[in-house]
Amino acid sequence: MKPERNYLIHPSYIVMFLVLAAVSALFLGFSAAYLYNRLHSNIPPIKLPSLFYFNTLILIGSSMTLRWAKKSYLQDNTQNYKIALIITLILTIGFLGSQIMAWLQLYNSDIFINYNNMASYMYLISGIHFVHVIAGIPFLVMFVINAVRKIKSPLSVLIYFSDLAKKRRLNLFNIYWHYLDGLWIYLVLFFLVNWLIG
């Protein structure tokens, strides 16, 4: 294993924060465009399907299990680490399936993507978030596969949990995942407040 260079802030963290800053700017831009169109065109907002709220709970649950995975990693608790990662993956797949059902709720209410500008923005904004969740799944799957395959004997446990690169990747993934969770909560509250103030 090659010795790592010492950084005040590792370049991976800088890249991650730049990516998240760009994503934040994208969603703030869409939020501003939504408000501008709504006020300028005087179009009433769309009521959120109930599954959007349920999906919020699923994402919060996945953030909690990922925190549990990180805590288990730091405590060298192999069993809990594996379980937490697997539950996080299951919850994530559940979120994706439930979000598709939420869009079907809109569709069955005759609210299509071209229904009006507000519906278009709702589909677009929630769809882009959906894509960002999908983008995280390969990394989550790799964590699960590595945990199951490489954590078997006491020696493999020692090597796995002492690998600074793995610890950093887990930290980076936690940052990304908690960010997506916070972003989803913001989006749900944004659409809800717009609906309430009508």
Side-chain angles (χ1 to χ4, degrees):
M1 194 182 300
K2 287 197 312 183
E4 289 217 339
R5 284 182 58 187
N6 288 324
Y7 295 98
L8 184 61
I9 301 174
H10 195 278
S12 301
Y13 288 97
I14 295 171
V15 171
M16 175 61 75
F17 287 121
L18 287 173
V19 167
L20 296 186
V23 173
S24 299
L26 176 69
F27 279 94
L28 286 173
F30 279 129
S31 300
Y34 178 97
L35 288 174
Y36 175 81
N37 273 274
R38 186 185 153 219
L39 297 173
H40 188 262
S41 306
N42 201 26
I43 302 172
I46 305 294
K47 185 179 180 181
L48 277 179
S50 56
L51 276 175
F52 271 66
Y53 304 109
F54 177 69
N55 291 345
T56 305
L57 297 177
I58 295 177
L59 267 189
I60 290 172
S62 73
S63 268
M64 290 172 66
T65 54
L66 195 59
R67 279 181 66 91
W68 179 29
K70 183 180 176 182
K71 185 178 178 182
S72 300
Y73 181 93
L74 296 174
Q75 294 173 345
D76 294 353
N77 189 329
T78 57
Q79 193 61 27
N80 283 352
Y81 177 66
K82 291 177 186 178
I83 292 169
L85 286 175
I86 291 167
I87 294 173
T88 304
L89 180 58
I90 291 168
L91 287 172
T92 303
I93 293 168
F95 169 82
L96 296 175
S98 187
Q99 187 55 37
I100 291 169
M101 290 172 64
W103 289 325
L104 286 174
Q105 275 187 344
L106 285 171
Y107 186 84
N108 291 332
S109 301
D110 295 328
I111 300 172
F112 311 114
I113 195 167
N114 59 351
Y115 176 78
N116 63 26
N117 279 353
M118 300 302 94
S120 299
Y121 275 112
M122 183 177 287
Y123 277 104
L124 177 66
I125 293 171
S126 60
I128 292 174
H129 181 273
F130 186 89
V131 169
H132 281 85
V133 173
I134 289 176
I137 287 182
F139 299 98
L140 182 54
V141 168
M142 286 309 300
F143 278 115
V144 172
I145 291 171
N146 284 332
V148 171
R149 284 185 179 173
K150 295 183 179 178
I151 304 179
K152 291 181 179 177
S153 68
L155 179 59
S156 65
V157 169
L158 179 64
I159 292 170
Y160 189 92
F161 284 105
S162 61
D163 189 342
L164 292 177
K166 282 188 177 63
K167 181 181 177 183
R168 183 172 58 252
R169 284 193 288 269
L170 185 61
N171 284 336
L172 288 165
F173 189 72
N174 265 267
I175 292 167
Y176 180 77
W177 211 250
H178 298 323
Y179 171 83
L180 287 183
D181 186 11
L183 179 60
W184 180 258
I185 292 170
Y186 159 74
L187 293 175
V188 168
L189 289 174
F190 175 77
F191 287 125
L192 178 62
V193 168
N194 271 277
W195 166 256
L196 291 176
I197 63 176

